[in-house]
Amino acid sequence: MVNGPTTPIPVKASPSPTDPLVPAVPIGPPPAGFRDILLREGPEGFARAVRNHQGLLLMDTTFRDAHQSLLATRVRTHDLKKISPYVAHNFSNLFSIENWGGATFDVAMRFLYECPWRRLQELRELIPNIPFQMLLRGANAVGYTNYPDNVVFKFCEVAKENGMDVFRVFDSLNYMPNLLLGMEAAGNAGGVVEAAISYTGDVADPSRTKYSLQYYMGLAEELVRAGTHILCIKDMAGLLKPAACTMLVSSLRDRFPDLPLHIHTHDTSGAGVAAMLACAQAGADVVDVAADSMSGMTSQPSMGALVACTRGTPLDTGVPLERVFDYSEYWEGARGLYAAFDCTATMKSGNSDVYENEIPGGQYTNLHFQAHSMGLGSKFKEVKKAYVEANQMLGDLIKVTPSSKIVGDLAQFMVQNGLSRAEAEAQAEELSFPRSVVEFLQGYIGVPHGGFPEPLRSKVLKDLPRVEGRPGASLPPLDLQMLEKELIERHGEEVTPEDVLSAAIYPDVFAHFKDFTATFGPLDSLNTRLFLQGPRIAEEFEVELERGKTLHIKALAVSDLNRAGQRQVFFELNGQLRSILVKDTQAMKEMHFHPKALKDVKGQIGAPMPGKVIDIKVAAGAKVAKGQPLCVLSAMKMETVVTSPMEGTVRKVHVTTDVTLEGDDLILEIE
């Protein structure tokens, strides 16, 4: 009520005033589903049942990838739990529900202040009959970097204990050593291993030779040899056209008659339903869909459309269409609560230009928001063009998290600095490229198909160290018991094995999440409107902390600013008048004008983009060499290292850590 929302809001839009309509659910346990087969017969028996099933099976992505693609991954556990009993009772013949992994792990703690493990536990209780599926980034687990092997193994083990069933394992470069590690971790945990081949290019286009049908068949052979239970084609940008679907899926089906095939796509171009029907006709067992009101554009194809199109044919899904309508109505209402994150604020439709720029669905909307937040909103078309150039510069990569982020960071860097591909390549030795690009060229995420781009790599890296082979192989195991001790010292006795893994994968995000919730309590029990907007004056609301323990709260008034820069907020709690002093952070920011770097003064180093200073590497008086890192800026998950364009001595540093800068703000002066 005093300082506005604590989670960054990309769009000035308020949550809709009406709550989503939860359809009625019968009393009693839900009917048996595929999970019962999995529990009874194990992963191999489950895979056999999927392959022998008559008709097309569906995976519902509404609980993860759909909102990751359309609503910046912001859907809270609160709204997932409300609809879960309905899903359990009405969609018991789904192959799986994708509800975990990918970006949800990070966003839950970083922006929603809730525990991702609690989400998994609570949904499992409400949906006991349908398999749960997660997205595992191979050796990157659910992070953006490589972790010691023991962390990835422990992570899968604890995920399985908390109710995860199917692990879709992929690597952003299809780098086999990383994929095999993720598969082994999921398999050792007792999960269903669904190895995924990330798809790019167009197998039906003879001129696209780098990622040919032979390339994908070769990868499939290796993954089947490694013992995958199910094979997935992960078309993260929605590039599969019907002709390519027919070629690829029928080739895989002929080669592996007993292996279940699962196809994932995004509907960015608008051809998603056609592509998934082509896959099904060519022999795919499972395709990915989302609730109608959460489908289309950069999300998955519509569940209702696939159910209706296959009805009464040999591919009939057996999903009742009327139930899909009610499910979609709930999500239409729920989506209104997240208006501030909805990609439709800046994007009005899908776009077939994805066949040219190959931007993954989950990234397309993020880039759009990022471009707006960095003041490049009007230049989004340029960002997309630069994305194509950046991709070619890096050697035509497979683009999915984290490799897609590297291409996106480079594209934004090029637009921000007005560089063409030729200029960026020519000036590669002088430019301070985003940190993600430098680390990719060092080999931190693995080796791309066809090797690294030269001479770009040598120019950018100069004498920086290079990683040979699988990046995680050289990392020593993390001492998880030691980490647990440290966490107990910092946060008290309540630390769970799940917390230890959250801290191992996202140390800073987890620490902030723990401190924040220690101060403000269980924010996941607030409804979404209150969480994002706070109450209106005189509004009464209830907060259920646990069954039978409910608080009745009424917001009464907010006072004027006092001398200490605080406002007093008055409210009623269970009928008693209370008040609390809240620091007004906006009023506290004294008028501070930051000097700009003058372009024509050689030693003035300015910020290459708007962002927050997260690290300063030099002090006044220090001698610096050309290309030496001076400081690190961060904006929307993208980190950029600012390096010295010349040799000299630091005269004055004009920034401190945690300061937020605009583009061209003066960072330091060198003479």
Side-chain angles (χ1 to χ4, degrees):
M1 289 172 75
V2 175
N3 292 310
T6 40
T7 183
I9 302 279
V11 177
K12 301 249 180 301
S14 299
S16 81
T18 50
D19 284 325
L21 194 69
V22 183
V25 175
I27 307 285
F34 265 99
R35 185 160 191 261
D36 298 272
I37 299 174
L38 175 59
L39 295 177
R40 200 170 55 238
E41 299 178 27
E44 284 83 4
F46 171 75
R48 269 196 306 278
V50 169
R51 185 67 196 100
N52 295 333
H53 178 81
Q54 298 299 306
L56 180 64
L57 287 167
L58 303 177
M59 172 172 101
D60 176 20
T61 68
T62 311
F63 280 42
R64 186 199 74 87
D65 202 9
H67 74 88
Q68 185 170 318
S69 301
L70 298 177
L71 305 175
T73 327
R74 287 306 199 281
V75 173
R76 300 168 67 238
T77 304
H78 185 89
D79 298 312
L80 297 171
K81 277 162 55 178
K82 278 192 190 161
I83 192 67
S84 289
Y86 182 82
V87 172
H89 280 272
N90 293 288
F91 300 132
S92 60
N93 50 358
L94 286 176
F95 165 81
S96 66
I97 295 167
E98 190 195 34
N99 60 1
W100 215 59
T104 58
F105 200 88
D106 171 25
V107 172
M109 294 190 290
R110 190 190 297 256
F111 296 129
L112 307 179
Y113 305 111
E114 56 182 50
C115 173
W117 300 97
R118 276 267 314 262
R119 173 179 297 188
L120 183 53
Q121 294 154 0
E122 293 182 318
L123 294 180
R124 185 77 283 172
E125 245 167 65
L126 296 169
I127 309 179
N129 55 334
I130 304 169
F132 282 176
Q133 179 149 348
M134 76 164 286
L135 188 62
L136 186 79
R137 298 170 177 156
N140 305 134
V142 287
Y144 302 102
T145 176
N146 275 281
Y147 299 97
D149 294 355
N150 69 318
V151 173
V152 182
F153 276 79
K154 189 71 186 165
F155 178 85
C156 290
E157 185 187 312
V158 176
K160 175 78 174 63
E161 284 164 11
N162 277 284
M164 189 40 63
D165 299 305
V166 184
F167 293 76
R168 176 179 285 170
V169 184
F170 79 100
D171 176 75
S172 72
L173 300 172
N174 285 338
Y175 180 56
M176 205 43 82
N178 280 351
L179 265 168
L180 296 176
L181 180 97
M183 289 170 68
E184 194 184 337
N188 283 11
V192 176
V193 179
E194 182 181 295
I197 296 175
S198 299
Y199 178 85
T200 193
D202 182 359
V203 293
D205 178 353
S207 71
R208 302 289 301 269
T209 51
K210 184 168 183 181
Y211 300 105
S212 62
L213 183 61
Q214 287 66 35
Y215 166 74
Y216 293 112
M217 294 305 287
L219 279 174
E221 291 280 357
E222 288 189 66
L223 295 173
V224 171
R225 253 205 312 278
T228 190
H229 298 120
I230 296 169
L231 183 67
C232 168
I233 298 295
K234 180 177 165 56
D235 176 22
M236 58 279 164
L239 303 178
L240 270 174
K241 300 171 191 153
C245 295
T246 307
M247 270 178 75
L248 182 58
V249 176
S250 53
S251 301
L252 289 168
R253 178 46 69 232
D254 293 346
R255 179 69 195 80
F256 309 108
D258 302 326
L259 182 71
L261 299 175
H262 187 166
I263 316 295
H264 166 85
T265 193
H266 288 257
D267 200 16
T268 314
S269 71
V273 173
M276 291 307 93
L277 287 170
C279 287
Q281 278 152 357
D285 300 279
V286 194
V287 299
D288 290 2
V289 294
D292 299 16
S293 53
M294 290 287 287
S295 72
M297 295 195 11
T298 54
S299 174
Q300 275 64 51
S302 142
M303 178 189 272
L306 269 139
V307 168
C309 290
T310 53
R311 207 175 183 173
T313 73
L315 295 172
D316 198 321
T317 59
V319 172
L321 198 53
E322 308 63 52
R323 301 281 184 273
V324 177
F325 301 154
D326 292 343
Y327 184 44
S328 179
E329 187 182 10
Y330 170 81
W331 278 110
E332 193 166 346
R335 189 169 173 175
L337 297 172
Y338 297 94
F341 306 99
D342 200 316
C343 70
T344 54
T346 51
M347 235 177 102
K348 298 302 177 203
S349 65
N351 198 332
S352 56
D353 72 1
V354 71
Y355 292 129
E356 181 185 278
N357 56 50
E358 301 181 345
I359 301 173
Q363 186 186 28
Y364 200 97
T365 37
N366 266 357
L367 266 180
H368 215 222
F369 277 146
Q370 274 184 4
H372 279 261
S373 82
M374 290 166 69
L376 299 176
S378 56
K379 294 185 173 175
F380 187 55
K381 192 172 169 190
E382 278 177 57
V383 173
K384 290 195 282 192
K385 275 210 160 33
Y387 192 94
V388 178
E389 293 206 320
N391 174 48
Q392 293 306 329
M393 226 169 112
L394 295 173
D396 189 8
L397 300 181
I398 288 160
K399 293 164 292 295
V400 58
T401 311
S403 61
S404 53
K405 179 181 178 303
I406 294 159
V407 178
D409 288 356
L410 180 55
Q412 279 177 321
F413 172 78
M414 287 161 72
V415 173
Q416 196 97 42
N417 294 295
L419 296 166
S420 67
R421 177 184 171 181
E423 289 164 335
E425 287 177 332
Q427 302 168 34
E429 290 176 56
E430 282 81 56
L431 293 168
S432 36
F433 284 102
R435 175 186 277 188
S436 60
V437 175
V438 178
E439 290 183 348
F440 161 71
L441 291 170
Q442 283 177 279
Y444 277 119
I445 67 165
V447 183
H449 173 56
F452 287 100
E454 284 295 0
L456 182 72
R457 186 188 196 197
S458 302
K459 279 186 178 177
V460 174
L461 295 187
K462 304 181 209 45
D463 48 8
L464 285 174
R466 301 171 185 218
V467 178
E468 300 305 329
R470 182 167 73 78
S474 49
L475 294 175
L478 183 67
D479 187 339
L480 293 167
Q481 283 172 315
M482 187 68 204
L483 178 59
E484 184 173 15
K485 272 206 192 90
E486 286 165 20
L487 292 174
I488 289 171
E489 272 169 36
R490 178 165 175 177
H491 304 292
E493 287 299 318
E494 271 31 324
V495 173
T496 63
E498 288 79 8
D499 287 340
V500 176
L501 285 160
S502 298
I505 293 176
Y506 285 111
D508 300 344
V509 176
F510 177 74
H512 177 65
F513 158 69
K514 278 308 250 192
D515 296 343
F516 195 92
T517 46
T519 310
F520 295 106
L523 297 173
D524 49 359
S525 50
L526 291 172
N527 76 39
T528 297
R529 198 175 306 104
L530 288 170
F531 176 80
L532 289 175
Q533 208 176 24
R536 293 184 297 279
I537 298 293
E539 182 182 347
E540 291 184 54
F541 56 95
E542 291 183 354
V543 180
E544 188 179 21
L545 296 178
E546 50 195 70
R547 275 190 82 159
K549 190 174 176 186
T550 304
L551 304 176
H552 296 268
I553 304 175
K554 182 178 186 180
L556 297 174
V558 179
S559 78
D560 290 337
L561 203 63
N562 68 13
R563 281 215 180 112
Q566 300 163 313
R567 296 183 188 274
Q568 198 164 4
V569 181
F570 298 91
F571 59 100
E572 269 177 25
L573 178 63
N574 293 344
Q576 305 223 319
L577 184 63
R578 301 274 185 98
S579 80
I580 180 177
L581 282 168
V582 180
K583 193 178 209 170
D584 188 324
T585 51
Q586 286 319 99
M588 293 299 289
K589 284 184 180 155
E590 344 58 7
M591 299 306 280
H592 172 76
F593 291 106
H594 199 96
K596 295 283 182 193
L598 301 169
K599 287 261 195 294
D600 46 358
V601 180
K602 198 175 173 203
Q604 296 204 355
I605 313 299
M609 62 176 197
K612 185 167 152 187
V613 178
I614 54 175
D615 190 12
I616 299 168
K617 306 237 181 231
V618 291
K623 294 236 179 299
V624 291
K626 185 175 177 179
Q628 183 177 333
L630 303 173
C631 82
V632 184
L633 295 181
S634 168
M636 296 273 294
K637 288 194 198 164
M638 167 175 157
E639 288 183 9
T640 296
V641 180
V642 179
T643 59
S644 177
M646 57 189 277
E647 193 177 325
T649 309
V650 177
R651 196 168 81 90
K652 187 175 177 195
V653 179
H654 290 270
V655 295
T656 52
T657 41
D658 282 347
V659 163
T660 301
L661 300 176
E662 295 297 312
D664 295 328
D665 278 0
L666 184 58
I667 296 174
L668 48 78
E669 295 178 75
I670 296 173
E671 55 188 7

